[in-house]
Amino acid sequence: MVKLQTFIISEQQGFEGDKLVVKNPNYIFRPTSVPGNYSLALALGFVGEGIREKNTFSIKMLDPKGGTFNETPDIELVPPGEKEREVLKLYPDEIANLNIVMDLPNAEFRLEGKYTTIISLNGEELDRKDFFIVAKENSAYGQF
């Protein structure tokens, strides 16, 4: 069974060589104003038996009122090639993993509050993760 092992939301992520660099991971993000645009990035790590097979995943983000803020189509996760499969045979199924990095550049946040990210695999919801958007100025949440 595949499960979501890692979920990191941050202002920016990328690779430097073979290392993932995550900048300002957080739970609360502070754009200058809301409504307004703000760039975020997601890192997801899937583990477990079945991750070596062909799968699809999708992400749906809900705004504080429950409306769809952002949604991906089903994205096909291609099984590893022959060379990678030989290496993966060295590891037991329960630690087989797949990591994905996604950018959300200049996403338009119209509301302050709690946003929910729904992660699905093969059409079935795996997990939900929350984060907050709070404007730096004139916030209903007060000053941090």
Side-chain angles (χ1 to χ4, degrees), residues 11 37-42 69-70 102-109:
E11 288 183 348
N37 292 357
Y38 199 70
S39 294
L40 296 175
L42 302 174
F69 159 70
N70 197 337
M102 300 177 67
D103 287 323
L104 298 170
N106 296 315
E108 184 178 4
F109 291 95

Side-chain angles (χ1 to χ4, degrees), residues 32-98:
T32 302
S33 62
V34 175
N37 292 357
Y38 199 70
S39 294
L40 296 175
L42 302 174
L44 303 138
F46 298 97
V47 298
E49 185 178 350
I51 200 62
R52 297 176 184 157
E53 308 303 321
K54 181 178 175 182
N55 292 287
T56 60
F57 92 100
S58 63
I59 291 179
K60 183 176 185 177
M61 296 177 120
L62 305 178
D63 67 23
K65 291 185 177 179
T68 299
F69 159 70
N70 197 337
E71 187 172 16
T72 68
D74 283 344
I75 299 168
E76 187 176 325
L77 304 176
V78 179
E82 190 62 40
K83 183 178 177 183
E84 291 85 5
R85 261 187 257 145
E86 289 302 315
V87 172
L88 288 174
K89 286 180 184 177
L90 301 172
Y91 301 100
D93 285 337
E94 63 266 16
I95 64 171
N97 67 78
L98 175 68

